[in-house]
Amino acid sequence: MDWDFSKVNLEYLIRARDLTRSDPTAGGIVLGVSDELGQLLSEISPRELTLITQFKPPLVAPRHAAWWWRRLLNALQAGNPEELRVILDHAGLFIDP
């Protein structure tokens, strides 16, 4: 099967760029990149971003260890918002209560 993640890649980069524009520190944390790379991403134009649609494989990949994903998926499956909040807070994905 031939998977096409080009639209997902574009959406991800648009949102990542917007985040780095509004809050460079948060953008760097969420993306897992240096401030310098976050700044570079924030300067990319919409026209330049559309070039990514030529790339079909996914750019986004899980960044955490298998145990972390197991804990996250178990919390989701259990419908446990408190556990989910703790997991995401520790991952640097701070969420509002």
Side-chain angles (χ1 to χ4, degrees), residues 1-13:
M1 184 174 284
D2 189 25
W3 298 95
D4 182 356
F5 284 82
S6 60
K7 290 180 184 176
V8 173
N9 291 336
L10 178 60
E11 181 70 23
Y12 173 72
L13 286 178

Side-chain angles (χ1 to χ4, degrees), residues 46-82:
R47 185 175 137 298
E48 294 163 342
L49 276 175
T50 61
L51 293 174
I52 201 65
T53 59
Q54 298 172 23
F55 186 76
K56 308 268 187 248
L59 289 176
V60 181
R63 296 183 301 173
H64 298 284
W67 67 265
W68 185 90
W69 282 100
R70 185 171 293 110
R71 185 175 176 195
L72 173 68
L73 296 175
N74 286 337
L76 290 171
Q77 193 171 41
N80 187 339
E82 246 343 279

